[in-house]
Structures are given as structure tokens and as C-alpha cells.
């Protein structure tokens, strides 16, 4: 509560500052750019970084490329195309993560009124760890999308023996990727939503809806802040709290079918949550959540 109160005081001060800033001043221009890209998160980010520094980490554009994305590409060029690289030095947690993901997925596929098992899309796939251990045991075919060509090249070896069922490898950033219309039973988005700005995550979730078949489901699994939003300048990502994620989902027109916290991770790890999302029906008001 104390942190929440401090944030509200900070928000109130910034609203007043925003109104008083000269609309031709550098501060106003930088503030407006960040707010456009991180409209749900920017006040939390401003609590942690001075305005100019935050701008250079996020919304600044150099040679036509937004630095939030340029810095991420630079970081991942140095990441090994291995399971250890994909797990960020926590490879011992891979089996725990996979087990929970399988159990969560099982609730939404393969039955009356549930998603089918024909085709899944693995977003931010890396070398295909989730594809190999979670998706291919369930779906007849899987497609992978990742911005790093080196990861997708390694995926073809990593998935050896299953290549007939891996139909496509898309080398693309998610902010630039559009799923094919009504093609996927499940779109899996794990440990990559934080590499998108609020604006681009919202727009990607909207595009994902069009990529789902009837009864199709989006599974979003990611690190979740305990409160607010945290920027990691090293890998150029943000960790949003559950309320920010829920607001973005609501704006996209998706409904939350269920949400579940990943269990059996060490206490020192950032909490990880899984959200099952589906197209919201007109009769639903806002986001419908079915309790686990």
C-alpha cells in the first residue's frame, strides 16, 4: 500500500507537470514519445529513470530504428543458441516450466468447445524449446517466429526428427509480424511480451485474434512484476505487473479465461504467470476471468 500511495502521488505530480510543460520544449516532446509507446507503464518507468535517460533506453529513434528494439537485438546477438541461452542461466528450471506449461495448455485444447490440435504458433520461439516439449506433443504442426536468425537456424537442428511437423520458420520481430488469418488453434507467447512496448503488445494481441480459429486460445506466459513496471536496460525489456497486463488484454478485445502462477520456481525469481486468452464475446463486460 505504501508503494501504491507513493506511485499515486508521483502520478498526480506528473499530470500537473504535463499540463504545464511548454508544448515545444524538449521535455514535452520526450515525455509524449514515451507515453505514446508505454501508455500503461510510463509513469512507473519515470519513477526509476530520469526523463532523458529513459528516452534513450526506449523511444529514441536512431537511423530509423527505435532504441528499445535495437538494444534488444544487440543483446540477443550475444546469447548462445542453446537451452542454457534460452533459459538465461536458469536451465535447471526448464523441466519445471515445461511441466506447468503442459498442464495449463491441457485445460484449453482437445475437447468439445475447446481449441483444436491442428496447428500452433510459437512466438519468440528461440531455438524451439517450447515447440519441442510443449507444443509438438499436442499439435499436428507448429510454426515458429523469432527475430533472431541464429536461433531459428539452431532450431532446425534442435528439432531434428520432428522437422516434418514444423511447417514454417518466420524470422521477424513480433511488432512487425501478423499471424495468418484463422490458422492457429493456439498462439503461444512466452518470455517475449516484455520485449514489446505497450503500444506494440496491444496491437500484436489484436492481430493474434485474427489468427485464431474458432475456440482458439492465446497463451501468454511471462515474468510479472509484483507492482508497477520494471525496465531492464540490459536486455531492453519491461516486466509489467498483472494489472497492467490485464488492462492491455482488455483493450485488445481478448478475454482472460484463466490465469495461474507458475509454481516451484525459487523465491528469488521474478514471479511468472500464465494467462489463457480468447476472443471476447459481445455479451461480456470487459475482461471475464474464470477462477483457477
Amino acid at each position: 500500500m505504501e508503494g501504491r500511495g507513493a506511485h499515486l502521488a508521483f502520478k498526480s505530480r506528473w499530470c500537473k507537470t504535463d499540463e504545464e510543460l511548454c508544448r515545444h520544449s524538449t521535455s514535452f516532446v520526450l515525455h509524449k514519445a514515451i507515453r505514446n509507446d508505454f501508455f500503461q507503464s510510463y509513469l512507473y518507468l519515470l519513477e526509476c529513470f530520469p526523463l532523458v535517460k529513459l528516452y534513450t533506453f526506449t523511444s529514441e529513434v536512431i537511423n530509423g530504428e527505435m532504441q528499445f528494439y535495437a538494444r534488444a537485438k544487440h543483446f540477443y546477438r550475444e546469447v548462445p543458441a542453446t537451452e542454457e541461452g534460452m533459459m538465461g542461466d536458469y536451465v535447471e528450471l526448464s523441466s519445471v516450466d515445461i511441466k506447468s506449461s503442459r498442464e495449463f495448455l491441457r485445460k484449453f485444447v482437445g475437447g468439445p468447445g475447446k481449441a483444436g490440435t491442428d496447428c500452433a504458433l510459437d512466438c519468440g520461439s528461440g531455438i524451439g524449446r517450447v515447440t519441442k516439449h510443449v507444443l509438438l506433443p499436442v499439435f499436428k504442426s507448429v510454426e515458429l517466429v523469432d527475430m533472431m536468425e541464429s536461433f531459428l537456424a539452431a532450431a532446425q537442428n534442435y528439432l531434428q526428427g520432428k522437422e516434418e511437423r514444423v511447417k514454417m520458420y518466420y524470422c521477424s520481430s513480433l511488432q512487425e509480424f501478423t499471424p495468418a488469418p484463422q490458422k492457429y488453434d493456439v498462439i503461444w507467447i512466452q518470455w517475449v511480451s516484455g520485449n514489446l512496448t505497450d503500444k506494440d503488445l496491444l496491437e500484436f494481441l489484436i492481430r493474434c485474434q485474427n489468427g485464431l480459429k474458432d475456440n482458439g486460445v492465446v497463451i501468454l506466459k511471462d515474468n510479472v512484476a509484483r507492482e508497477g513496471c520494471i525496465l531492464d536496460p540490459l536486455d531492453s525489456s519491461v516486466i509489467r505487473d498483472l494489472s497492467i497486463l490485464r488492462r492491455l488484454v482488455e483493450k485488445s478485445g481478448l478475454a482472460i479465461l484463466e490465469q495461474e502462477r507458475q509454481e516451484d520456481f525459487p523465491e528469488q525469481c521474478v514471479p511468472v504467470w500464465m494467462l489463457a486468452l480468447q476472443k471476447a464475446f459481445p455479451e461480456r463486460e470487459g475482461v471475464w476471468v474464470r477462477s483457477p
Side-chain angles (χ1 to χ4, degrees):
M1 289 299 293
E2 182 179 344
R4 180 65 178 164
H7 174 69
L8 291 174
F10 181 85
K11 180 178 180 180
S12 175
R13 180 172 67 81
W14 256 104
C15 287
K16 184 174 185 295
T17 303
D18 192 21
E19 292 170 0
E20 293 176 353
L21 279 172
C22 171
R23 295 186 180 274
H24 299 289
S25 71
T26 301
S27 294
F28 178 81
V29 173
L30 302 189
H31 183 226
K32 183 178 180 182
I34 297 168
R35 186 175 59 183
N36 179 66
D37 293 323
F38 294 93
F39 56 88
Q40 291 290 356
S41 311
Y42 77 103
L43 287 172
Y44 290 104
L45 301 179
L46 280 167
E47 288 180 348
C48 301
F49 295 94
L51 177 62
V52 174
K53 190 171 185 179
L54 180 61
Y55 177 73
T56 63
F57 285 152
T58 56
S59 299
E60 184 177 20
V61 176
I62 298 176
N63 297 327
E65 189 167 27
M66 186 177 174
Q67 290 307 289
F68 184 70
Y69 294 125
R71 294 170 68 90
K73 285 182 182 177
H74 179 75
F75 174 83
Y76 283 107
R77 286 191 191 105
E78 305 301 318
V79 172
T82 61
E83 280 201 6
E84 288 81 1
M86 300 302 99
M87 291 299 295
D89 296 327
Y90 287 94
V91 69
E92 69 275 8
L93 299 180
S94 183
S95 59
V96 178
D97 166 69
I98 287 163
K99 180 176 181 291
S100 295
S101 294
R102 285 174 171 172
E103 292 172 355
F104 191 70
L105 175 64
R106 199 176 298 129
K107 300 177 183 181
F108 308 103
V109 299
K114 295 184 177 182
T117 56
D118 287 331
C119 187
L121 177 66
D122 185 357
C123 298
S125 63
I127 64 169
R129 186 186 66 92
V130 170
T131 289
K132 182 176 183 177
H133 298 293
V134 179
L135 301 178
L136 281 174
V138 175
F139 297 93
K140 295 175 183 175
S141 66
V142 179
E143 298 180 0
L144 285 70
V145 54
D146 197 280
M147 69 175 178
M148 301 305 296
E149 189 174 353
S150 59
F151 292 170
L152 293 176
Q156 296 178 49
N157 291 324
Y158 183 73
L159 299 171
Q160 201 165 15
K162 305 175 187 292
E163 58 269 19
E164 290 184 1
R165 294 168 55 211
V166 180
K167 299 302 182 183
M168 288 294 295
Y169 297 88
Y170 301 101
C171 188
S172 174
S173 301
L174 294 188
Q175 69 270 19
E176 298 170 344
F177 183 75
T178 300
Q182 297 183 322
K183 185 174 185 179
Y184 304 105
D185 296 294
V186 166
I187 297 177
W188 192 280
I189 308 169
Q190 181 165 350
W191 282 326
V192 70
S193 67
N195 291 111
L196 295 173
T197 66
D198 290 355
K199 176 176 177 288
D200 286 337
L201 177 56
L202 172 61
E203 291 176 355
F204 182 61
L205 290 175
I206 292 170
R207 295 196 299 276
C208 283
Q209 292 183 61
N210 297 326
L212 291 174
K213 294 180 180 179
D214 291 344
N215 298 321
V217 176
V218 173
I219 305 291
L220 175 61
K221 184 172 186 177
D222 219 320
N223 298 336
V224 172
R226 291 176 174 85
E227 184 177 58
C229 184
I230 304 164
L231 171 66
D232 184 345
L234 181 63
D235 67 355
S236 199
S237 67
V238 291
I239 304 175
R240 303 171 174 94
D241 70 19
L242 206 53
S243 66
I244 293 174
L245 280 176
R246 286 168 58 86
R247 287 196 294 271
L248 289 170
V249 168
E250 181 178 2
K251 285 179 181 291
S252 77
L254 288 164
I256 300 175
L257 296 178
E258 192 163 325
Q259 59 188 40
E260 180 180 309
R261 182 170 174 171
Q262 169 73 51
E263 297 182 348
D264 300 323
F265 271 19
E267 188 61 33
Q268 65 267 28
C269 289
V270 176
V272 173
W273 282 78
M274 296 173 281
L275 282 71
L277 316 175
Q278 200 169 53
K279 292 181 183 179
F281 294 110
E283 62 267 22
R284 291 179 182 164
E285 291 293 332
V287 177
W288 171 59
V289 181
R290 185 178 67 213
S291 299

